[in-house]
Amino acid sequence: MSVLTLADSALATKRAEIDAAARRRTIWLIASFAIIFGYLVFSYFYFDLASAAKKWSPERASLFVLDTYAHKDHVSMRWKEPDKIDVAFEGGFRHKYDPPPAWFVENPQTGGRTVNFDNGGRITFFDDHVVMSDWPKAEQDYVFRRDAEGKPYVEGFADRPDELPSWMRATENKVEVRPSLYERLQVYTSKVEVHRYEIGWKYFWFDFDSPLKDYSLFQAIGTIFSGERIDPEQSNASLVLNEFLENDIWLHNTVLFSLVETVLMALLGTMIASIVSLPLAFMAAKNLTPLPGLRFVLRRFFDFLRG
């Protein structure tokens, strides 16, 4: 047999090996895609994603997004105690306004207590009913009451709730009014609650009980250079820093500590991993470790850690 024939035979053998390896990789690739596709199909039917898609509500999603860039004040009244109305930031029992904000007005002559909105609309609380008046684009004023059984209803629409505006919904135990994202009225069997939204993160710098709660960031910084102390017991610089860090609503001190702790954990974890992984990497290298079983175990261990 000539040298040329041997070379051709070796080349053919090598080509066959390469073709076989390519076929195996193709089969594995197709099998992987088939497994992934099968898993997606299984998940689609098992978790009933079609029903979930039908339940998707853009309005509900917009409400979740609203809380990321706006805050709300709650005004609530219990039917059993109509004289007591709570005006609170985000509905917190510790964050009740005293005195109430300027947009909440009491009228001793009529007994009404009115929540004024930026759009010119008003919601007025009375002892036995609530009135929604002067609302933009609304065809009339609306009155909300309770019947003899304590069930809430809209006056004039008790027997025809389907004729209410699209932004108003009445059920057996609740009347929900949502003219836009920034106003909300809920009339229950036991209470009435109004949500009044405003853009911005209120009390982000200083919390509800802070002596600096009415200061903007730049106003607070300006007090540092003032000779007059807000708190006689400490400097204005110390007061500003402490009130910012000890914010009970936004928890700046806790968040900052957690951020630093996370960074330190990442650095420490990386350092320990580097120390441990370096000798293991050499042990998993084919040109340094002659034992294929050990290399296989270490490489699968690395895959597990990455996963």
Side-chain angles (χ1 to χ4, degrees):
M1 184 178 293
S2 65
V3 176
L4 184 59
T5 303
L6 291 175
D8 290 341
S9 177
L11 182 60
T13 302
K14 192 64 176 178
R15 182 178 298 170
E17 292 176 356
I18 294 174
D19 291 341
R23 283 193 298 270
R24 285 195 299 270
R25 291 184 180 181
T26 301
I27 292 173
W28 275 108
L29 182 63
I30 295 174
S32 299
F33 276 110
I35 292 172
I36 294 173
F37 179 76
Y39 173 76
L40 294 176
V41 172
F42 168 79
S43 300
Y44 180 84
F45 289 102
Y46 183 80
F47 295 107
D48 197 12
L49 297 182
S51 298
K54 293 179 181 179
K55 296 177 182 177
W56 159 256
S57 171
E59 180 182 355
R60 185 173 299 176
S62 63
L63 291 178
F64 284 118
V65 176
L66 178 64
D67 287 331
T68 65
Y69 64 87
H71 64 274
K72 65 179 179 292
D73 293 309
H74 291 217
V75 184
S76 57
M77 178 190 78
R78 293 194 172 274
W79 292 112
K80 292 183 178 180
E81 299 176 293
D83 294 334
K84 182 182 178 181
I85 293 185
D86 293 326
V87 184
F89 171 69
E90 292 288 355
F93 69 94
R94 294 178 52 231
H95 304 139
K96 296 180 180 179
Y97 293 102
D98 187 20
W103 45 260
F104 181 80
V105 180
E106 298 188 42
N107 189 334
Q109 296 179 349
T110 63
R113 290 137 296 174
T114 302
V115 179
N116 294 291
F117 292 87
D118 293 336
N119 62 7
R122 296 176 296 162
I123 294 178
T124 304
F125 294 81
F126 293 95
D127 289 353
D128 60 350
H129 66 284
V130 177
V131 179
M132 182 179 182
S133 57
D134 300 331
W135 213 265
K137 299 182 180 180
E139 298 179 356
Q140 65 178 78
D141 294 344
Y142 295 93
V143 180
F144 307 89
R145 298 181 181 274
R146 293 190 307 162
D147 60 21
E149 298 179 357
K151 306 294 185 181
Y153 68 94
V154 185
E155 191 173 78
F157 294 87
D159 56 347
R160 51 190 183 101
D162 294 339
E163 298 181 21
L164 289 169
S166 59
W167 41 268
M168 191 179 300
R169 185 168 58 92
T171 60
E172 182 181 1
N173 297 312
K174 177 182 176 182
V175 176
E176 175 90 17
V177 182
R178 191 91 197 203
S180 75
L181 282 176
Y182 302 101
E183 306 94 20
R184 187 181 192 183
L185 168 65
Q186 296 172 305
V187 185
Y188 297 92
T189 57
S190 61
K191 67 176 182 177
V192 181
E193 192 164 274
V194 172
H195 295 173
R196 188 181 187 275
Y197 284 83
E198 290 186 45
I199 302 296
W201 295 349
K202 199 172 185 179
Y203 304 120
F204 176 78
W205 301 109
F206 310 106
D207 65 30
F208 190 85
D209 299 317
S210 171
L212 300 173
K213 67 178 181 180
D214 295 324
Y215 286 69
S216 68
L217 175 62
F218 295 106
Q219 288 175 330
I221 293 175
T223 63
I224 296 177
F225 305 98
S226 172
E228 183 178 354
R229 290 190 173 187
I230 299 174
D231 183 355
E233 301 297 327
Q234 59 181 322
S235 67
N236 288 347
S238 175
L239 177 66
V240 170
L241 180 61
N242 288 337
E243 291 298 321
F244 172 76
L245 293 177
E246 301 301 326
N247 189 315
D248 288 336
I249 297 176
W250 290 90
L251 305 174
H252 297 309
N253 195 17
T254 302
V255 172
L256 289 174
F257 177 81
S258 299
L259 288 173
V260 174
E261 185 180 45
T262 301
V263 172
L264 291 178
M265 289 174 62
L267 293 175
L268 183 61
T270 303
M271 183 181 68
I272 295 174
S274 300
I275 296 173
V276 174
S277 64
L278 188 62
L280 293 179
F282 284 107
M283 294 173 64
K286 184 176 181 180
N287 57 343
L288 295 177
T289 303
L291 302 175
L294 177 61
R295 294 200 307 269
F296 177 82
V297 171
L298 288 175
R299 291 180 181 183
R300 299 298 76 78
F301 178 64
F302 295 159
D303 293 338
F304 171 77
L305 293 179
R306 280 195 295 268

